[in-house]
Amino acid sequence: MAKTFAVLSGKGGVGKSSFCVNIAYILAGMNKKVLLIDGDAGLRNLDIMLGVESKVLYDWMDVIKNRCEKDKALLQAEKNIFLLPAPLEEADIDKEDMGKVLSGYIESFDFIFLDGPAGLGSLTKAYALSCDETLVLATPDSVSVRTAYSIGEKLTEAGLEAERLLLLVNKVSKRKMRLGLQMDIDKIIDETYIRLLGIIPEDGKVQTEIASGDRPTARWKSYRQIYDIAQRIMGEQVELSL
């Protein structure tokens, strides 16, 4: 049975979609079967990042509305990696709708990552409340950290237990932190009140190489940390490092 994660952020540009693609490839390399669900209705992009945009026929709204069989909506990106695309139009669904989608795939995968839109709209709440855990991504700047705190607070007010919230700090530079150009990790934890799952270093290769079709390799600065996050997700005790 799959463990399900909503991947959210208070603001855009923090690297949610890149993280979803990278963690999927790393887990797939560990022989885990992974489903990525693009939750950004109207602004989908995972199909492009995975190179399957020309193959999209159905999306999760077709599954909810019973317009297609659930397996026909899936696209296989590579071995052990599948995608359920988002609709091109904006959608208004609730926890029950997304629960229906997840329940249709939960027996067929090891992990499901639901890549949500930035901000805290009705979709974001539906995603968080229907998944086992919610990963909140933030970058080490005051605006992103404040919005991460806000999204955590609003989700707990909506009924999400605090222990189901986990924090990922992305695009971290030790040099910039030493120079006072980025917030300190301890301060980020103190200001978000969310338990830290992982720290991902700033890595220019992530955007350029994903865009060109390359996949995570050990030469990426961020590879080791994303690999460690994958191990923690699988229940391993791995020390935090940068």
Side-chain angles (χ1 to χ4, degrees), residues 132-164:
D132 296 322
E133 294 184 339
T134 293
L135 307 180
V136 179
L137 263 74
T139 49
D141 61 87
S142 57
V143 173
S144 182
V145 169
R146 178 184 291 177
T147 57
Y149 164 75
S150 296
I151 200 169
E153 183 180 45
K154 298 298 184 186
L155 288 174
T156 53
E157 288 175 356
L160 185 71
E161 299 89 343
E163 58 268 23
R164 290 167 59 192

Short mmCIF file of all heavy atoms in Angstrom, two decimals, residues 132-164:
data_model
loop_
_atom_site.label_atom_id
_atom_site.label_comp_id
_atom_site.label_asym_id
_atom_site.label_seq_id
_atom_site.Cartn_x
_atom_site.Cartn_y
_atom_site.Cartn_z
N ASP A 132 -1.30 11.04 3.66
CA ASP A 132 -0.74 10.61 4.94
C ASP A 132 0.08 11.73 5.59
O ASP A 132 -0.03 11.97 6.79
CB ASP A 132 0.15 9.38 4.76
CG ASP A 132 -0.62 8.17 4.27
OD1 ASP A 132 -1.77 7.98 4.72
OD2 ASP A 132 -0.07 7.41 3.43
N GLU A 133 0.94 12.37 4.79
CA GLU A 133 1.79 13.43 5.31
C GLU A 133 1.87 14.57 4.28
O GLU A 133 1.65 14.35 3.09
CB GLU A 133 3.20 12.91 5.61
CG GLU A 133 3.23 11.91 6.76
CD GLU A 133 4.63 11.46 7.13
OE1 GLU A 133 5.55 11.59 6.29
OE2 GLU A 133 4.82 10.97 8.26
N THR A 134 2.19 15.75 4.79
CA THR A 134 2.34 16.92 3.92
C THR A 134 3.75 17.46 4.04
O THR A 134 4.23 17.73 5.15
CB THR A 134 1.33 18.02 4.31
OG1 THR A 134 0.00 17.56 4.01
CG2 THR A 134 1.58 19.30 3.54
N LEU A 135 4.42 17.59 2.91
CA LEU A 135 5.76 18.16 2.86
C LEU A 135 5.62 19.63 2.46
O LEU A 135 5.12 19.94 1.38
CB LEU A 135 6.63 17.42 1.84
CG LEU A 135 6.71 15.90 1.99
CD1 LEU A 135 7.62 15.32 0.90
CD2 LEU A 135 7.19 15.51 3.37
N VAL A 136 6.05 20.53 3.33
CA VAL A 136 6.00 21.95 3.05
C VAL A 136 7.39 22.39 2.63
O VAL A 136 8.35 22.27 3.41
CB VAL A 136 5.53 22.75 4.27
CG1 VAL A 136 5.51 24.24 3.96
CG2 VAL A 136 4.15 22.29 4.73
N LEU A 137 7.52 22.88 1.40
CA LEU A 137 8.81 23.36 0.91
C LEU A 137 8.93 24.86 1.13
O LEU A 137 7.99 25.61 0.91
CB LEU A 137 8.98 23.07 -0.58
CG LEU A 137 9.77 21.79 -0.92
CD1 LEU A 137 8.92 20.56 -0.63
CD2 LEU A 137 10.26 21.80 -2.35
N ALA A 138 10.13 25.26 1.55
CA ALA A 138 10.43 26.68 1.73
C ALA A 138 11.87 26.91 1.32
O ALA A 138 12.71 26.00 1.36
CB ALA A 138 10.22 27.11 3.17
N THR A 139 12.17 28.12 0.91
CA THR A 139 13.54 28.54 0.69
C THR A 139 13.96 29.42 1.87
O THR A 139 13.10 29.95 2.58
CB THR A 139 13.67 29.31 -0.64
OG1 THR A 139 12.65 30.32 -0.70
CG2 THR A 139 13.51 28.38 -1.83
N PRO A 140 15.27 29.58 2.11
CA PRO A 140 15.73 30.26 3.32
C PRO A 140 15.69 31.78 3.24
O PRO A 140 16.70 32.47 3.41
CB PRO A 140 17.16 29.74 3.50
CG PRO A 140 17.60 29.40 2.13
CD PRO A 140 16.39 28.95 1.38
N ASP A 141 14.50 32.32 2.95
CA ASP A 141 14.30 33.76 2.95
C ASP A 141 13.04 34.07 3.75
O ASP A 141 12.17 33.20 3.92
CB ASP A 141 14.18 34.30 1.52
CG ASP A 141 13.00 33.72 0.77
OD1 ASP A 141 11.89 34.28 0.89
OD2 ASP A 141 13.17 32.69 0.09
N SER A 142 12.93 35.28 4.23
CA SER A 142 11.88 35.62 5.17
C SER A 142 10.48 35.48 4.58
O SER A 142 9.54 35.07 5.29
CB SER A 142 12.08 37.04 5.71
OG SER A 142 12.13 37.99 4.65
N VAL A 143 10.30 35.81 3.31
CA VAL A 143 8.97 35.71 2.69
C VAL A 143 8.53 34.26 2.61
O VAL A 143 7.41 33.90 2.99
CB VAL A 143 8.97 36.37 1.30
CG1 VAL A 143 7.64 36.11 0.60
CG2 VAL A 143 9.24 37.86 1.41
N SER A 144 9.41 33.39 2.10
CA SER A 144 9.06 31.98 1.96
C SER A 144 8.82 31.33 3.32
O SER A 144 7.89 30.54 3.49
CB SER A 144 10.18 31.24 1.22
OG SER A 144 9.84 29.88 1.03
N VAL A 145 9.65 31.68 4.29
CA VAL A 145 9.50 31.10 5.63
C VAL A 145 8.19 31.55 6.27
O VAL A 145 7.48 30.75 6.89
CB VAL A 145 10.71 31.47 6.51
CG1 VAL A 145 10.46 31.12 7.97
CG2 VAL A 145 11.96 30.76 6.00
N ARG A 146 7.84 32.81 6.10
CA ARG A 146 6.57 33.29 6.66
C ARG A 146 5.39 32.57 6.02
O ARG A 146 4.44 32.19 6.72
CB ARG A 146 6.43 34.79 6.47
CG ARG A 146 5.10 35.34 7.00
CD ARG A 146 4.92 36.80 6.71
NE ARG A 146 5.84 37.61 7.49
CZ ARG A 146 5.93 38.95 7.38
NH1 ARG A 146 5.15 39.60 6.53
NH2 ARG A 146 6.79 39.61 8.12
N THR A 147 5.43 32.38 4.71
CA THR A 147 4.32 31.70 4.05
C THR A 147 4.28 30.22 4.42
O THR A 147 3.19 29.62 4.48
CB THR A 147 4.38 31.87 2.52
OG1 THR A 147 5.62 31.37 2.02
CG2 THR A 147 4.23 33.33 2.13
N ALA A 148 5.44 29.61 4.69
CA ALA A 148 5.46 28.23 5.15
C ALA A 148 4.79 28.12 6.52
O ALA A 148 4.01 27.18 6.78
CB ALA A 148 6.89 27.71 5.22
N TYR A 149 5.09 29.07 7.39
CA TYR A 149 4.41 29.10 8.69
C TYR A 149 2.90 29.24 8.51
O TYR A 149 2.12 28.54 9.15
CB TYR A 149 4.94 30.25 9.54
CG TYR A 149 4.05 30.57 10.72
CD1 TYR A 149 4.03 29.74 11.85
CD2 TYR A 149 3.19 31.67 10.70
CE1 TYR A 149 3.19 30.01 12.91
CE2 TYR A 149 2.35 31.95 11.76
CZ TYR A 149 2.35 31.12 12.87
OH TYR A 149 1.51 31.39 13.92
N SER A 150 2.49 30.15 7.64
CA SER A 150 1.07 30.39 7.42
C SER A 150 0.36 29.14 6.91
O SER A 150 -0.75 28.82 7.35
CB SER A 150 0.86 31.55 6.44
OG SER A 150 1.36 32.75 6.98
N ILE A 151 1.01 28.46 5.96
CA ILE A 151 0.35 27.28 5.40
C ILE A 151 0.24 26.18 6.47
O ILE A 151 -0.78 25.49 6.57
CB ILE A 151 1.07 26.78 4.13
CG1 ILE A 151 0.14 25.90 3.30
CG2 ILE A 151 2.34 26.01 4.44
CD1 ILE A 151 0.67 25.57 1.92
N GLY A 152 1.26 26.04 7.30
CA GLY A 152 1.18 25.06 8.38
C GLY A 152 0.09 25.40 9.38
O GLY A 152 -0.67 24.53 9.82
N GLU A 153 0.00 26.67 9.74
CA GLU A 153 -1.01 27.12 10.69
C GLU A 153 -2.42 26.90 10.15
O GLU A 153 -3.30 26.39 10.85
CB GLU A 153 -0.80 28.59 11.02
CG GLU A 153 -1.76 29.13 12.08
CD GLU A 153 -1.51 30.61 12.37
OE1 GLU A 153 -1.33 31.38 11.40
OE2 GLU A 153 -1.50 30.97 13.55
N LYS A 154 -2.63 27.27 8.89
CA LYS A 154 -3.97 27.13 8.30
C LYS A 154 -4.37 25.67 8.16
O LYS A 154 -5.54 25.31 8.34
CB LYS A 154 -4.02 27.82 6.94
CG LYS A 154 -3.78 29.32 6.99
CD LYS A 154 -4.82 30.05 7.81
CE LYS A 154 -4.62 31.55 7.76
NZ LYS A 154 -5.54 32.27 8.67
N LEU A 155 -3.40 24.82 7.83
CA LEU A 155 -3.72 23.40 7.68
C LEU A 155 -4.06 22.76 9.03
O LEU A 155 -4.96 21.92 9.11
CB LEU A 155 -2.56 22.66 7.00
CG LEU A 155 -2.38 22.95 5.51
CD1 LEU A 155 -1.13 22.27 4.98
CD2 LEU A 155 -3.60 22.54 4.69
N THR A 156 -3.35 23.14 10.08
CA THR A 156 -3.68 22.59 11.39
C THR A 156 -5.05 23.10 11.85
O THR A 156 -5.81 22.35 12.47
CB THR A 156 -2.60 22.93 12.43
OG1 THR A 156 -2.35 24.33 12.44
CG2 THR A 156 -1.30 22.21 12.11
N GLU A 157 -5.36 24.34 11.53
CA GLU A 157 -6.68 24.87 11.85
C GLU A 157 -7.77 24.11 11.09
O GLU A 157 -8.90 23.97 11.58
CB GLU A 157 -6.76 26.37 11.51
CG GLU A 157 -5.98 27.26 12.45
CD GLU A 157 -6.00 28.71 12.01
OE1 GLU A 157 -6.57 29.00 10.92
OE2 GLU A 157 -5.43 29.55 12.72
N ALA A 158 -7.42 23.61 9.88
CA ALA A 158 -8.38 22.87 9.08
C ALA A 158 -8.52 21.42 9.53
O ALA A 158 -9.33 20.67 8.98
CB ALA A 158 -7.98 22.92 7.60
N GLY A 159 -7.71 21.01 10.51
CA GLY A 159 -7.84 19.67 11.05
C GLY A 159 -6.68 18.74 10.81
O GLY A 159 -6.71 17.57 11.21
N LEU A 160 -5.59 19.23 10.17
CA LEU A 160 -4.42 18.39 9.92
C LEU A 160 -3.57 18.33 11.19
O LEU A 160 -3.18 19.36 11.74
CB LEU A 160 -3.59 18.96 8.77
CG LEU A 160 -2.40 18.11 8.33
CD1 LEU A 160 -2.89 16.85 7.62
CD2 LEU A 160 -1.48 18.91 7.40
N GLU A 161 -3.26 17.12 11.64
CA GLU A 161 -2.44 16.96 12.83
C GLU A 161 -1.02 17.45 12.57
O GLU A 161 -0.46 17.23 11.50
CB GLU A 161 -2.40 15.49 13.26
CG GLU A 161 -3.76 14.91 13.62
CD GLU A 161 -4.47 14.30 12.43
OE1 GLU A 161 -4.07 14.61 11.28
OE2 GLU A 161 -5.43 13.54 12.64
N ALA A 162 -0.43 18.13 13.56
CA ALA A 162 0.90 18.72 13.40
C ALA A 162 1.95 17.68 13.04
O ALA A 162 2.89 17.98 12.29
CB ALA A 162 1.30 19.45 14.68
N GLU A 163 1.80 16.45 13.53
CA GLU A 163 2.80 15.42 13.24
C GLU A 163 2.76 14.96 11.79
O GLU A 163 3.68 14.26 11.33
CB GLU A 163 2.63 14.22 14.18
CG GLU A 163 1.28 13.56 14.13
CD GLU A 163 0.32 14.11 15.17
OE1 GLU A 163 0.52 15.26 15.63
OE2 GLU A 163 -0.64 13.39 15.52
N ARG A 164 1.73 15.34 11.06
CA ARG A 164 1.67 14.99 9.63
C ARG A 164 2.27 16.07 8.74
O ARG A 164 2.27 15.95 7.52
CB ARG A 164 0.20 14.74 9.23
CG ARG A 164 -0.37 13.46 9.82
CD ARG A 164 -1.87 13.39 9.66
NE ARG A 164 -2.30 13.45 8.27
CZ ARG A 164 -3.56 13.64 7.88
NH1 ARG A 164 -4.50 13.81 8.80
NH2 ARG A 164 -3.87 13.69 6.60
#
